[in-house]
Amino acid sequence: MASSPPSPPPKLPIPGRRNILITSALPYVNNVPHLGNIIGCVLSADVFARYCRLRGYNALYICGTDEYGTATETKAMEEKCSPKEICDKYHAIHNEVYKWFDIKFDKFGRTSSPQQTEICQAIFHKLMENNWLTENTMQQLYCDTCRRFLADRLVEGTCPIEGCTNKAARGDQCDNCSHMLNPTELIDPKCKVCKNTPHIRETDHLFLDLPLLEGKLVNYINDTSVAGMWSQNAIQATNAWLKEGLKSRCITRDLKWGVPVPIEKYKDKVFYVWFDAPIGYVSITASYTPEWEQWWKNPDNVELFQFMGKDNVPFHTIMFPSTLLGTGENWTMMKTISVTEYLNYEGGKFSKSKGIGVFGNDAKDTNIPPEVWRYYLLMNRPEASDTLFTWTDLQAKLNSELLNNLGNFINRVLSFIAKPVGAGYDSIIPDAPGAESHPSTSDIAEKVSKSVEQYLDAMEKVKLKQGLKSAMGISTDGNRYLQESEFWKLYKDNPANCAIVMKTSVGLVYLLACLLEPFMPSFSKEVLRQLNLSPEETLSFSEEKGESAKAKTPWDLVPAGHKIGRPVPLFEELKDEKVSKHRETYAGSQAERRSKAVADAEATKIANQLNSIALSGGSKKEQKKKSGNSKSKVAEAEISVAKLEIRVGLIRKAEKHPDADSLYVEEIDVGEEAPRTVVSGLVKYIPLEEMQNRKVCVLCNLKPVVMRGIKSHAMVLAASNEDHTRVELVEPPADAAVGERVTFAGHSGEPEASLSGKSKVWEKLAADLHSSGELVACYKDVPFMTSAGVCKVKTIANGEIR
């Protein structure tokens, strides 16, 4: 039996080369990662690592699971197992998810390792020696039954915030009102484990004295944030912490699961997860190679790039740098930080704790290929502001950008070359002398060269979305070049020019496979297979080897006489029915989905039992009655929210009704020849000055009605709270086009010509119009969508919309 080939030796920095150390924020191990987690750190870092390898840089990509702390202990209690068993289980799940997403780590490790303990304790001793640590006494809740101090998440009680009645607020935060809390503030606190009442007790802890380190830290931030081109959101978050004034931060916890504090007095405590988790980058590198210091204590030869979501910024720009600076050792400090905002889900928020959104294992179950998921997430990467995942947007990007643009271009080129002689080139790349003097070919070469320059500039600055757009622009230009050339006519009318067009187009296909490899590696591998080129030998875009300069002459990228492989379509269309099915499948929380699956299975079982029983029909009269009821139910079920014609409107003018103190009269532009006159009962809720020149959502197909002598030709939609004491307008995004129709994903069709205010259609649909907990205007769980995003209300959550 043949033995497997030996593993390659660990990468180490190479003198004279560009050595880049890349880390992704360590995903916490107590749950399955969702799409927001994946784009926020591991996928973004993977794209940059692949780009670095493509360019010939000596890059090392390190990641792993963050395994210590309260959340792991809590999850272990929930699942009735040990923290180690939880970590083993979820580390394997994370590993499997990332493999499916084509994430190529050099090392995917874990923080519950001997290396973590050794390095963490060594850093701690250095901080002690250099007098950067202080002791302090804290008051914490202690459970006599469990005989332990309770971490924030192990305490539940009534929220102390006025007006909030949540009786299950956690010790760190109330999920109902979103206020941050201390466990000692809770009313009637209970231990989450035994349900008994804990009491306040004093306990000593160790603190990192950040105010004393501030001078060193500020110098580092000022120098590196400019030289490393930190993303704007990272700079803002860091400056906000500095402006508030740094405070000493506790680095120890009364827990069992963590790195032990190596001092007798604190032997029963462990390090706080914020202190030890970033050290995980170092310890995971140490588990990759015993010569880890060549990467981590080599600032003159190694550049450190770190990727994360915005909630992780202070730990990487304040805490971790302060810890390393405090040791007095020559650490490789972070040069560049790339930070993402939040990816939201269908008008709400992804949530691991609530199980809301599409998770890594869900993506696999959709049968949508990983390269499509990668493309969508990266094209939608929330680099400067939050972005929104919607199933219809995924469908649009797959069908129009991947299938009709990129896939269409590559398939047209390769399929034509693969045709037999007389119709094509029998799979052999033709020779193309004089390509550089062919007008449209020299034009496309110039355009492509600029696109490549923009791609390289964006990627070097870690502007991944812009890099992807620049690469996709080459496909758009290629399609236009191909179409305008009318190559199918040239083949017979001007074979020499046809050969130039096709050889150049094959070069663009190869170029796209190279540039898109960081984003869609399995796509690039398949394109190279169809080109009959080896990815290992061919996939490179190195400056040193002059490969990036070759983009200026795309007709030279694939040699004449080369035989291509068999072309096949690269992408499949995502149809409406699939989109509807996925939206329904992944609606609500994971717990609700499981309950629904059980209920559906039970309903199917009962239906099958009923179908197997031969039921005797009653009288013809009864049958007719049943038939009529059935038809009415079908008609009722067929009422779609698409019957409402809701448009983006702009209030041009608003004034008080001359004969009614509670009414406004508005002139609203809804994209028609003349504005509509609308009467609204909003006087007691919204000041007149706030009604002027603002965008609103307008229901345009309600039957006109006279209100105190003035005919109202539409209705402005507004949300009200439960007791109707507050009312707010439903607002489209600022960039939404006036007159555009508000749509609802999965619901299409023409609106009713006219709805009366008392019609069954309006009554039925109006009952399901509401604002969500995230302040998004929704029909059931589907947001009001415009071309510029979702429609929202300012503060009224879970209100009814009328």
Side-chain angles (χ1 to χ4, degrees), residues 64-333:
T65 40
D66 178 7
E67 303 194 349
Y68 284 139
T70 310
T72 306
E73 284 197 356
T74 308
K75 190 72 174 178
M77 288 175 193
E78 284 175 17
E79 298 198 11
K80 297 181 173 54
C81 61
S82 70
K84 185 180 184 310
E85 288 170 325
I86 281 290
C87 291
D88 290 345
K89 171 184 171 180
Y90 283 101
H91 176 80
I93 289 171
H94 276 257
N95 209 1
E96 187 181 329
V97 166
Y98 302 141
K99 275 184 181 172
W100 187 81
F101 270 93
D102 267 338
I103 310 292
K104 189 178 180 182
F105 306 107
D106 288 292
K107 177 67 178 180
F108 184 71
R110 43 203 309 191
T111 58
S112 59
S113 68
Q115 291 90 345
Q116 176 77 355
T117 301
E118 181 186 341
I119 294 170
C120 200
Q121 290 180 345
I123 288 173
F124 167 75
H125 281 304
K126 281 289 182 185
L127 293 171
M128 283 285 283
E129 286 170 25
N130 296 339
N131 297 314
W132 298 117
L133 300 179
T134 58
E135 289 187 85
N136 232 321
T137 301
M138 294 175 68
Q139 289 191 327
Q140 281 181 242
L141 290 174
Y142 185 86
C143 178
D144 288 319
T145 309
C146 297
R147 294 199 292 185
R148 63 187 290 179
F149 284 98
L150 298 179
D152 300 349
R153 295 183 181 210
L154 291 181
V155 186
E156 280 189 350
T158 301
C159 177
I161 303 300
E162 188 176 347
C164 183
T165 57
N166 184 16
K167 294 184 178 179
R170 292 197 316 266
D172 59 348
Q173 184 178 352
C174 173
D175 285 336
N176 186 49
C177 68
S178 299
H179 275 85
M180 304 299 289
L181 303 172
N182 286 316
T184 51
E185 296 175 320
L186 292 175
I187 299 164
D188 191 24
K190 299 291 180 189
C191 170
K192 202 172 174 182
V193 180
C194 68
K195 308 302 180 191
N196 289 322
T197 302
H199 60 89
I200 293 174
R201 187 161 149 178
E202 290 189 337
T203 177
D204 290 340
H205 281 286
L206 289 164
F207 289 72
L208 179 62
D209 200 333
L210 288 176
L212 284 179
L213 284 159
E214 187 167 357
K216 290 175 181 285
L217 178 67
V218 168
N219 287 339
Y220 158 74
I221 291 168
N222 288 343
D223 292 344
T224 312
S225 60
V226 176
M229 295 180 290
W230 288 11
S231 55
Q232 199 56 41
N233 44 12
I235 293 170
Q236 288 168 351
T238 304
N239 287 341
W241 270 65
L242 292 174
K243 189 176 178 182
E244 260 184 42
L246 297 180
K247 301 173 183 66
S248 292
R249 297 281 296 191
C250 185
I251 66 167
T252 53
R253 289 297 250 172
D254 288 293
L255 292 173
K256 300 295 180 195
W257 183 244
V259 174
V261 180
I263 295 180
E264 182 62 29
K265 179 179 176 181
Y266 293 96
K267 66 181 182 182
D268 292 330
K269 299 181 193 287
V270 299
F271 288 116
Y272 206 155
V273 71
W274 76 257
F275 176 78
D276 92 284
I279 295 170
Y281 301 130
V282 185
S283 72
I284 291 168
T285 312
S287 68
Y288 169 73
T289 172
E291 297 178 78
W292 60 271
E293 290 188 355
Q294 287 196 41
W295 285 105
W296 281 99
K297 293 186 178 180
N298 191 0
D300 293 334
N301 292 307
V302 175
E303 301 169 59
L304 174 58
F305 285 72
Q306 299 198 286
F307 290 78
M308 69 210 64
K310 64 181 176 183
D311 51 344
N312 258 319
V313 170
F315 302 106
H316 291 79
T317 62
I318 303 282
M319 314 297 188
F320 190 40
S322 297
T323 300
L324 297 181
L325 290 167
T327 66
E329 296 177 315
N330 196 29
W331 288 94
T332 301
M333 305 287 286

Side-chain angles (χ1 to χ4, degrees), residues 675-711:
R676 292 197 187 197
T677 300
V678 180
V679 181
S680 307
L682 297 170
V683 170
K684 64 189 259 192
Y685 305 107
I686 302 171
L688 183 59
E689 59 271 16
E690 290 183 20
M691 292 291 292
Q692 311 295 336
N693 294 308
R694 69 184 292 178
K695 285 183 179 173
V696 287
C697 289
V698 184
L699 180 61
C700 292
N701 60 334
L702 267 187
K703 189 176 179 182
V705 60
V706 177
M707 299 176 74
R708 290 292 186 95
I710 295 178
K711 186 178 279 191

Side-chain angles (χ1 to χ4, degrees), residues 481-623:
Y481 168 68
L482 203 59
Q483 191 65 22
E484 289 175 359
S485 74
E486 297 187 317
F487 63 94
W488 58 93
K489 291 182 182 176
L490 286 180
Y491 184 75
K492 292 206 185 308
D493 299 344
N494 193 334
N497 278 357
C498 187
I500 289 172
V501 170
M502 296 319 295
K503 191 167 189 285
T504 302
S505 297
V506 170
L508 297 183
V509 169
Y510 168 76
L511 186 62
L512 285 165
C514 284
L515 300 184
L516 290 171
E517 194 277 342
F519 302 94
M520 298 185 288
S522 54
F523 155 84
S524 293
K525 193 173 179 181
E526 173 57 21
V527 172
L528 290 175
R529 187 198 66 73
Q530 294 186 29
L531 283 170
N532 194 25
L533 295 170
S534 160
E536 290 73 22
E537 295 169 16
T538 314
L539 209 57
S540 176
F541 211 66
S542 165
E543 202 74 50
E544 288 178 12
K545 296 177 186 175
E547 287 162 338
S548 54
K550 289 180 185 175
K552 294 177 180 177
T553 55
W555 49 84
D556 288 334
L557 288 172
V558 182
H562 174 77
K563 185 171 185 176
I564 68 168
R566 186 172 68 88
V568 292
L570 291 157
F571 302 101
E572 285 184 24
E573 182 184 6
L574 184 57
K575 296 187 181 293
D576 289 347
E577 53 268 27
K578 282 280 188 186
V579 170
S580 299
K581 184 174 182 291
H582 291 324
R583 185 184 297 105
E584 183 184 350
T585 301
Y586 300 109
S589 70
Q590 287 177 312
E592 288 167 346
R593 291 175 210 164
R594 284 192 290 270
S595 300
K596 183 179 181 299
V598 171
D600 288 349
E602 187 62 26
T604 302
K605 182 180 173 185
I606 292 168
N608 289 339
Q609 288 172 347
L610 289 172
N611 286 337
S612 66
I613 299 170
L615 295 174
S616 60
S619 67
K620 287 184 179 179
K621 189 176 178 181
E622 286 171 332
Q623 287 178 14

